[in-house]
Amino acid sequence: MFKDLFNTYNWDEVKQSILAKTNADVLQALQKDKRTLEDFKALISPAAMSYLEQIAQLSNVLTQKRFGKTIQMYVPLYLSNECQNICTYCAFSLDNKIKRKTLSDDEILQEVKAIKQMGYDHVLLVTGEANQTVGVNYLQHAIQLIRPYFSHISIEVQPLDQPDYETLLAEGLNTVLVYQETYHRNNYKTHHPKGKKSNFDYRLETPDRLGKAQVHKIGLGVLIGLEDWRTDCFFTALHLHYLEKTYWKTKYSISFPRLRPIEVGTQNNSSMKSFTSFMSDKQLVQLICAYRIFNPEVELSISTREDENFRNHVIKLGITSMSAGSKTNPGGYVVEPQSLEQFEISDERSPQQITTLIKQQGYEPVWKDWDRSF
Ligand code: SF4
């Protein structure tokens, strides 16, 4: 299990070893054919900032070699904002007094219709963690309902047991995203004080359960801004490295969401809660390229959390999938457009505007994931 490997590492030692990487370490990492985890540390180190241009060029070349000039398009479909957890950074947190909503069959189909009209064939189903309302049975039923409309279905929901994943895979589920949020074991508890999510180990072991269930693809990541991003992203790379070796039939993707402002309070008396982002745009570019150079096979995904300008510039750098026109509230497309969002969208451009932009940069937007026919 990854937990056994993870427990041999010490957060502070990893952090110090990244900060200690030198220009020579960075140059060595750039010159190699195959990079180690030590090379990854060098590529995300402060020293690597002076080589950002070279890093970006190499990332571009490696991405085109493996993926061609394509960007996969996907969109989230929020099914519910019910949640039994307290997460300090999320508008759906149990302690945030908002109107709760779980979509009915008819409402799901209305949302599906709107998403299909935008052109999507890959949908990401999102829920909070509330076993009574959005447990395995609800998810199984939702997948049965929407399966005829999409060739690729992903979920980003509470971590489940292996047999539950097997049940959902049998219904046609393809991909599961499960972000650790932070690999800082002690501070994880501060960010997740209440609910099932406060169990760090159960979350950490989720990709192992998914690998054993033989899921097609697993998505990893941390919420950037909770803790030191370099150390957290090193542990993401370590997790990826372990999983690829252990569950080699499964594919992997990584996301790098930066914290966004959220709305807190009641709907009559609400205010915005902001977080300081500890990562600059340049550092996020550095991270994206470092992941690519470390692992030419991994899919790298960017959502509408990032702003227009940033998303315009990263298409060529190593990204392989993008969302557009996203709503992060249940019913956000047509059923209840005004309900509370999980986080503020930064890039509000339509899928058509985004695909035009992708084409202008010489890339091909891909709506249909053909993997199932291989
Ligand atoms: S991040 Fe997920 S688990 Fe945490 S409060 Fe939000 S919806 Fe619930």
Side-chain angles (χ1 to χ4, degrees):
M1 297 286 269
F2 177 66
K3 191 174 77 173
D4 301 324
L5 173 66
F6 176 77
N7 286 339
T8 65
Y9 284 80
N10 172 289
W11 177 278
D12 292 331
E13 283 172 16
V14 169
K15 185 175 175 181
Q16 285 314 316
S17 72
I18 296 169
L19 297 178
K21 291 293 179 191
T22 63
N23 289 4
D25 295 326
V26 179
L27 286 170
Q28 197 183 39
L30 284 171
Q31 281 153 12
K32 282 182 174 174
D33 282 340
K34 212 165 177 285
R35 280 92 190 173
T36 64
L37 283 156
E38 287 303 311
D39 295 322
F40 180 74
K41 283 183 185 171
L43 292 169
I44 58 169
S45 70
M49 219 17 132
S50 315
Y51 302 90
L52 196 54
E53 188 58 42
Q54 272 171 269
I55 288 173
Q57 279 175 15
L58 181 56
S59 176
N60 169 271
V61 169
L62 291 173
T63 308
Q64 278 194 34
K65 206 166 151 192
R66 167 65 183 81
F67 296 93
K69 293 175 105 175
T70 61
I71 301 283
Q72 299 273 342
M73 302 297 296
Y74 76 95
V75 76
L77 168 51
Y78 277 67
L79 298 175
S80 173
N81 61 9
E82 303 256 6
C83 195
Q84 297 300 315
N85 290 316
I86 294 183
C87 299
T88 53
Y89 46 81
C90 178
F92 298 167
S93 186
L94 178 67
D95 57 345
N96 201 12
K97 301 294 170 230
I98 56 163
K99 189 178 159 216
R100 303 289 167 168
K101 166 104 188 143
T102 298
L103 299 187
S104 66
D105 287 5
D106 181 52
E107 289 170 334
I108 292 174
L109 291 173
Q110 285 182 53
E111 295 283 281
V112 163
K113 197 173 162 198
I115 287 174
K116 291 304 292 181
Q117 277 168 359
M118 290 193 268
Y120 284 105
D121 202 36
H122 175 184
V123 71
L124 167 65
L125 304 181
V126 186
T127 70
E129 179 159 350
N131 261 323
Q132 301 295 325
T133 38
V134 287
V136 180
N137 292 344
Y138 178 87
L139 293 170
Q140 182 178 11
H141 180 68
I143 293 172
Q144 285 168 348
L145 201 61
I146 68 162
R147 177 78 272 174
Y149 303 96
F150 298 98
S151 68
H152 194 116
I153 299 177
S154 303
I155 58 170
E156 186 180 342
V157 303
Q158 60 179 306
L160 301 170
D161 293 335
Q162 185 182 332
D164 295 332
Y165 284 130
E166 285 162 353
T167 300
L168 300 183
L169 290 170
E171 298 293 352
L173 172 66
N174 305 102
T175 295
V176 178
L177 311 185
V178 58
Y179 305 142
Q180 185 60 33
E181 318 295 16
T182 176
Y183 287 87
H184 194 300
R185 185 185 281 278
N186 292 339
N187 292 359
Y188 179 92
K189 197 82 186 165
T190 313
H191 302 299
H192 308 97
K194 188 168 182 292
K196 222 176 143 194
K197 193 168 175 179
S198 59
N199 186 338
F200 179 88
D201 282 344
Y202 185 70
R203 198 167 187 89
L204 190 69
E205 290 166 352
T206 306
D208 276 294
R209 296 195 297 280
L210 282 163
K212 286 178 186 155
Q214 300 191 356
V215 68
H216 171 70
K217 195 189 313 177
I218 301 174
L220 304 172
V222 289
L223 191 47
I224 289 173
L226 286 184
E227 295 299 328
D228 176 62
W229 69 265
R230 291 190 174 89
T231 314
D232 254 339
C233 293
F234 166 79
F235 282 112
T236 309
L238 178 71
H239 210 159
L240 172 69
H241 189 63
Y242 159 86
L243 291 166
E244 275 193 339
K245 284 205 315 206
T246 314
Y247 310 104
W248 51 271
K249 286 185 183 166
T250 296
K251 292 171 74 175
Y252 298 91
S253 69
I254 294 186
S255 302
F256 9 81
R258 289 192 284 190
L259 276 170
R260 296 282 308 139
I262 59 166
E263 200 173 322
V264 289
T266 62
Q267 275 167 348
N268 296 330
N269 179 21
S270 65
S271 61
M272 295 306 289
K273 180 173 173 184
S274 295
F275 299 88
T276 313
S277 176
F278 297 102
M279 179 190 242
S280 67
D281 285 357
K282 264 186 157 182
Q283 288 171 333
L284 182 50
V285 167
Q286 178 190 9
L287 175 68
I288 292 168
C289 298
Y291 276 135
R292 168 61 61 232
I293 295 170
F294 172 64
N295 188 322
E297 297 290 317
V298 71
E299 296 182 22
L300 298 176
S301 178
I302 196 146
S303 77
T304 51
R305 276 176 185 262
E306 298 300 337
D307 67 24
E308 291 189 22
N309 187 40
F310 187 81
R311 289 188 4 129
N312 291 352
H313 287 96
V314 292
I315 289 173
K316 291 183 176 174
L317 292 181
I319 295 298
T320 57
S321 72
M322 268 180 122
S323 53
S326 306
K327 302 292 177 196
T328 68
N329 44 336
Y333 295 102
V334 281
V335 172
E336 238 177 72
Q338 300 311 324
S339 64
L340 183 89
E341 296 174 316
Q342 188 186 30
F343 57 86
E344 249 188 33
I345 296 295
S346 225
D347 184 349
E348 302 209 344
R349 289 173 294 180
S350 69
Q352 281 63 36
Q353 286 172 296
I354 295 296
T355 51
T356 302
L357 172 81
I358 292 170
K359 285 180 194 161
Q360 278 167 354
Q361 299 204 16
Y363 281 63
E364 188 60 35
V366 179
W367 297 94
K368 193 171 180 67
D369 188 321
W370 293 100
D371 282 352
R372 291 177 78 225
S373 61
F374 287 161

